[in-house]
Amino acid sequence: MNNKLYGNLIFELSKQGRRGYSLPKNQFGEYQIPTEQCRKEDAALPECDEMTVVRHYTNHSENNFGVNNGFYPLGSCTMKYNPVINEEVANMPEFTSLHPMQPEETVTGALDVYDTLQKQLSAIAGLSKFTLNPFAGAHGELTGLMIIRAYHESRGDKKRVKVIIPDSAHGTNPASAAVCGLQVVEVKSTAQGYVDVNDLKGLLDDTVAAMMMTNPNTLGMFEQDIPEIAKLVHECGALMYYDGANLNPMLGASRPGDMGFDVMHINLHKTFSTPHGGGGPGAGPVGVRAGLEQFLPKASSALSIADVKHIDFADEDAGGRISVGGYHGNFAVLLRALTYILTLGRENLKLVGPLATLNANYIKESLKDDYLLPIEGLCKHEFVFDGLRDKSTGVTTMDVAKRLLDYGYHAPTIYFPLLFHESLMIEPTENESKDTIDGFIAVMKKIAEEAKTNPDIVKSAPHNTPIGRVDDVLAAKHPVVKFKDIEA
Ligand SMILES: *Cc1c(COP(=O)(O)O)cnc(C)c1O
């Protein structure tokens, strides 16, 4: 590594008595903290000078990889470029210094941000109204399912306890249904990767609350039978839920509301650009069609202090609050999304989906002689290979992913979706130039060649990273997450 300090913990760099900060002179006199509130011994804090701290964290940050370092084709995660203007707006002191309980008349600008974003999302999705409260995609799913449950209950329809979810769905779908107290019923996919309508027909009855669909689905394919599925689901009295976590390819192509969906969530951090690696900040606004607005969580916009005082956080009713702690959702993410939408404008927003789709298809077609493509045909923003085409080399998807790191690329999503044994899921996004994409294609071809001529170099990759191949099983079963555990 570029610096000897790499690998040290800040605690290891500590020298007794070193200081990086001193408190200003006391101008206010002494206050004696009651002894029962005082610590018995000093907190174990590292003692370092400022330069040591700055170097330590700067060196660590240089071992990071993000969209701003290089190509990041992590399927399903939409690691698109986050324009700098988003950060400028999110960091404006006029926004960062707001308090959620400020009187309404002092936050009219922020309220305007809510109102404008709600309207923009409604127009983009073809729905009536959005709540901006939920903090992530999964949180949005839960909110949406609570809305659906509240809708059925408002009609006195209490039998509906099942949610139908395709076997290719993102794992959060069944998890959200379970958290909402609903039963998960799986509907099969056809060999072409679409929801199997015949299988669905056998599952529909008056105990079904909703059908959850992801479109394009997890294989990157646009579901072909949505009009028929929506008709069947509505005929049995259930509602259609759209997992819009990956709305990116739909921008400029079609709208969930027009397809017959009743409720949906959008991952703003994916489609509308917020840096979100490593579980970073998100927002999962939920939209509903006309007629369902009354089931949205309250406070789609700001609350008065009187309102806040009356919040019942234990209230399970969907009409209650969904974001405990933050009354108004993840405001900085909402700001970035609105900035992104307004910066691009209507015309350019319509190019996002087609360009993301073009990039994905270009990579897919360029690599399908070397990598096994289980589902042929036009994909949307992403697609899945089932490992290398030549299975005789013994080189796995894991090996390919690790070897990509040696060449300076982030790995694609691997071993998801679970429909194939060697899934390798690639999503380039619309931002990448043809040069970058061609560079990636060349490296993927080179790795396929290495797998034949020198498989050991692929199987033992990565060779250029600070840490070589980690033992996944050991790391999962015996994670070392505390400084003390390392010492021991
Ligand atoms: C990312 C994703 C989710 C979950 O979103 P989070 O913000 O991570 O909770 C749900 N569904 C699909 C299809 C996704 O890609």
Side-chain angles (χ1 to χ4, degrees), residues 25 77 98 122 163 206 230 242 271 289 340 362 365 396 410 476:
K25 273 213 180 75
C77 294
L98 291 179
S122 300
V163 182
D206 64 359
Y242 188 98
T271 304
R289 67 157 163 77
Y340 179 82
Y362 178 64
E365 293 303 313
T396 64
H410 196 284

Side-chain angles (χ1 to χ4, degrees), residues 121-407:
L121 294 179
S122 300
I124 288 167
L127 291 168
S128 168
K129 196 162 183 214
F130 269 81
T131 169
L132 306 176
N133 275 189
F135 284 128
H139 200 199
E141 290 168 24
L142 175 63
T143 308
L145 290 170
M146 288 166 83
I147 288 168
I148 290 172
R149 199 180 55 189
Y151 160 79
H152 290 306
E153 280 177 5
S154 76
R155 295 153 49 95
D157 194 350
K158 301 211 192 279
K159 292 190 299 296
R160 297 188 183 266
V161 290
K162 293 183 194 157
V163 182
I164 300 180
I165 300 175
D167 57 6
S168 66
H170 197 270
T172 50
N173 288 190
S176 301
V179 171
C180 194
L182 297 161
Q183 291 166 27
V184 177
V185 181
E186 199 173 274
V187 56
K188 291 198 187 75
S189 299
T190 63
Q192 291 74 39
Y194 304 117
V195 167
D196 185 334
V197 179
N198 281 328
D199 190 43
L200 175 67
K201 281 180 186 157
L203 303 173
L204 290 170
D205 61 30
D206 64 359
T207 63
V208 175
M211 161 93 187
M212 284 180 103
M213 277 182 87
T214 306
N215 186 46
N217 64 27
T218 314
L219 298 170
M221 310 299 280
F222 192 97
E223 288 285 352
Q224 304 283 305
D225 299 311
I226 291 174
E228 191 188 352
I229 292 171
K231 187 165 167 280
L232 290 168
V233 169
H234 286 146
E235 272 169 9
C236 97
L239 297 185
M240 290 285 285
Y241 184 91
Y242 188 98
D243 179 337
N246 303 310
L247 199 68
N248 213 37
M250 295 292 96
L251 298 181
S254 60
R255 306 192 306 170
D258 301 337
M259 296 177 212
F261 286 90
D262 305 290
V263 182
M264 78 173 296
H265 78 271
I266 302 176
N267 279 20
L268 296 188
H269 43 298
K270 290 179 182 170
T271 304
F272 298 106
S273 82
T274 281
H276 58 278
V286 172
V288 296
R289 67 157 163 77
L292 292 175
E293 297 92 338
Q294 77 255 41
F295 303 109
L296 285 169
K298 286 189 208 104
S300 297
S301 64
L303 296 169
S304 67
I305 292 179
D307 281 339
V308 173
K309 283 192 185 134
H310 290 108
I311 294 170
D312 177 3
F313 288 116
D315 184 3
E316 281 209 1
D317 183 50
R321 184 158 316 277
I322 194 75
S323 302
V324 177
Y327 315 131
H328 311 305
N330 234 341
F331 188 58
V333 177
L334 306 180
L335 272 175
R336 289 186 181 93
L338 183 61
T339 307
Y340 179 82
I341 291 170
L342 296 180
T343 309
L344 262 67
R346 183 188 290 259
E347 259 108 78
N348 293 315
L349 212 56
K350 283 185 178 170
L351 290 176
V352 168
L355 286 175
T357 298
L358 177 65
N359 285 353
N361 280 284
Y362 178 64
I363 297 176
K364 169 171 68 67
E365 293 303 313
S366 303
L367 289 176
K368 69 178 190 183
D369 291 341
D370 300 288
Y371 293 83
L372 189 62
L373 183 66
I375 302 211
E376 290 271 354
L378 201 66
C379 66
K380 290 289 156 194
H381 60 307
E382 64 191 358
F383 62 93
V384 183
F385 283 133
D386 190 6
L388 282 157
R389 188 169 277 279
D390 182 355
K391 300 286 182 212
S392 69
T393 65
V395 171
T396 64
T397 278
M398 176 69 87
D399 302 330
V400 173
K402 296 293 183 192
R403 187 67 177 142
L404 271 170
L405 308 183
D406 282 338
Y407 289 109

Side-chain angles (χ1 to χ4, degrees), residues 449-460:
E449 190 54 34
E450 285 176 345
K452 288 182 202 149
T453 55
N454 188 4
D456 285 341
I457 200 164
V458 188
K459 287 185 194 170
S460 55

Side-chain angles (χ1 to χ4, degrees), residues 10-20 42-49 52-53:
I10 193 75
F11 285 92
E12 293 174 287
L13 302 174
S14 176
K15 288 271 175 329
Q16 207 181 358
R18 290 255 167 98
R19 288 284 173 272
D42 285 345
L45 297 173
E47 297 179 65
C48 298
D49 57 279
T52 300
V53 173

